[in-house]
Structure formats: C-alpha cells, structure tokens
Amino acid sequence: MFRILVSLLAISFSTSCQSNVKKKKDEVATTSQSTLEKNITLEQEDLEKFETAYFASGCFWCVEAIFESVKGVEEVVSGYSGGTKKNPTYEEVGGGMTDHAEAVKVYYDPKVISFTALVQVFFGSHDPTTLNRQGPDRGPQYRSIAFYKNEDEKKIIESYIKALEENDVYQGLPITTQVVPFNKFYDAEDYHQDYEKKHPNNSYIRNVSIPRLNRFKENFQDYLKDDAKH
C-alpha cells in the first residue's frame, strides 16, 4: 500500500513552470469562441455525474498529467486554490503575488477509484517533504496541499499521513503537506489545460513533467488506464 516514490526527490533543472510565460501564451491554438463555449457546456453536464477531489503538488502541468493517467479519473482541470484572492491569474499566482497554489480539480468515478486511492496517488507522485518547493519550482504557490470537502476525507488524508510517518517512508523527514478544507477553485487559463499533451517538446515538459509522470507510472502500474501503460 505504501509504495511511495521516495526516489522522486526533485532533480534541479534550468527551467521552471513559470518561465517563458509569453511564449506559452503564444502557443495557444486559435479556437472558435462559440465552439469552445458549446464544448465546455456539454462537457460540464457530463462531468457533474462524478465526484471531485482537489490537490496541489507543484506545477499543475505535471499534476494534471499524472491524475489523468489514473483509471477512474474522468477529467482533470488545472487551476488555483488555497488562497483568498478572487479570480487570480497565472502571472499573479506564479509570481507569488497571491496566497493561492497551482492546483488541480479531479473528476472521478467512485465506483472505479476511491478517494483513498487518489490520496495514495497524490502522495506517491511528489515529494511532500520539501516545503514550498517541488523540483525546480520554488515558492508557496508550489506547496503541497491535500484539500478535503468533509470530515471523512479529512480523516482519510490524516490517517494516510500518520501511516507514512509510522512506516518512516521519508526516513525521518517531516511531511509538510497542508491538510485544509476546500473553499474555492479557479480554473486556470485555457492554454494551461492539457498542457503536457499539447506541448511535448516544451523544455520544462521534456525535462521535468514527463520524467515525473514516467516515475509515477513505473511505480503505480495497477492504477493506470490501459492507454497510459505505454
């Protein structure tokens, strides 16, 4: 149960999730606004049938791709949560000008995967001992957060952290993950959604996101969708 990726201790790279913001914006594909709005409406109606969970563990490009590879997960949205500023922008959050963190909203089918399993995926796919840092990304906007919507979810998260500590999974290093009640989630800008899939040649994606995803896949084969095993 506790196949946690201790080997995920971050490797430093020259790139970061916040670098080259203008370039990222320029990579956005042009889409008809009316078509986009129609697709969003139809998708939202379908997604309302599923449960939601919220996590933050570094750059949301990486986190989104990891959760999307997990069976039972129907959709993952990149965004911002954990702070108080309304309608934050990427520049504000990434620049440390808010108290939000880059986070993801996970739509999942509880008949296929449990909240407990999602918590295992969360802890197993990042290093929760590095305070306000994940790999090359530094600052409270990249902190580790497990959000809960009710007391049952809170107990699951806290029990799992206790088990990790009792089993000394991180060899004495303290777990810095915040366990906080969920309040509000703000969707990130359109160009951030499915960023890893759309921009596989981006230097950050090649050097940080894909290796992180592959390490997760290697250790969590039983959790993966069939098309994510290759």
Side-chain angles (χ1 to χ4, degrees):
M1 177 180 292
F2 304 108
R3 295 181 300 167
I4 305 303
L5 309 188
V6 180
S7 61
L8 282 183
L9 292 176
I11 301 173
S12 295
F13 293 93
S14 59
T15 55
S16 71
C17 187
Q18 180 61 17
S19 62
N20 301 321
V21 173
K22 183 178 185 302
K23 181 179 179 182
K24 295 169 191 172
K25 286 185 176 180
D26 293 340
E27 292 173 347
V28 181
T30 57
T31 306
S32 166
Q33 187 63 31
S34 60
T35 300
L36 180 61
E37 291 176 351
K38 181 179 179 181
N39 289 340
I40 290 175
T41 300
L42 291 174
E43 180 179 282
Q44 191 60 42
E45 291 177 354
D46 292 334
L47 292 176
E48 286 177 356
K49 298 180 295 185
F50 302 105
E51 295 291 332
T52 54
Y54 302 84
F55 302 98
S57 59
C59 177
F60 48 23
W61 298 341
C62 307
V63 186
E64 178 187 37
I66 287 168
F67 277 100
E68 285 189 338
S69 72
V70 175
K71 58 187 176 183
V73 172
E74 299 297 325
E75 181 63 272
V76 184
V77 179
S78 289
Y80 317 109
S81 194
T84 57
K85 181 177 176 56
K86 295 181 179 180
N87 302 312
T89 66
Y90 179 65
E91 289 80 1
E92 291 172 335
V93 175
M97 293 178 279
T98 77
D99 48 359
H100 285 291
E102 291 193 8
V104 294
K105 180 178 185 178
V106 181
Y107 289 92
Y108 69 99
D109 185 347
K111 295 179 181 178
V112 179
I113 190 168
S114 66
F115 181 78
T116 299
L118 292 177
V119 171
Q120 292 173 350
V121 169
F122 167 69
F123 280 104
S125 60
H126 80 295
D127 180 6
T129 70
T130 51
L131 181 64
N132 295 333
R133 176 183 176 183
Q134 202 60 219
D137 300 309
R138 304 188 182 193
Q141 64 270 37
Y142 301 113
R143 65 192 185 275
S144 174
I145 311 174
F147 297 94
Y148 61 87
K149 297 185 299 180
N150 52 56
E151 286 301 309
D152 287 341
E153 290 185 352
K154 181 181 180 182
K155 290 178 181 178
I156 289 171
I157 297 167
E158 291 180 338
S159 295
Y160 197 71
I161 291 176
K162 182 179 180 181
L164 293 174
E165 293 172 338
E166 290 178 344
N167 285 269
D168 197 22
V169 171
Y170 299 104
Q171 301 177 335
L173 294 175
I175 293 174
T176 64
T177 300
Q178 295 179 341
V179 181
V180 299
F182 173 72
N183 182 23
K184 178 71 175 179
F185 181 87
Y186 296 94
D187 291 6
E189 295 81 348
D190 288 342
Y191 66 92
H192 287 299
Q193 309 303 331
D194 295 316
Y195 195 90
E196 184 168 313
K197 292 179 182 178
K198 295 175 180 176
H199 306 286
N201 294 320
N202 174 279
S203 60
Y204 182 92
I205 297 300
R206 290 199 316 269
N207 294 323
V208 182
S209 296
I210 291 177
R212 179 177 170 182
L213 174 61
N214 288 338
R215 287 191 294 268
F216 168 75
K217 288 181 176 182
E218 183 178 333
N219 288 272
F220 282 81
Q221 282 288 312
D222 292 343
Y223 284 70
L224 300 178
K225 297 172 181 174
D226 290 338
D227 60 359
K229 294 180 180 180
H230 306 292

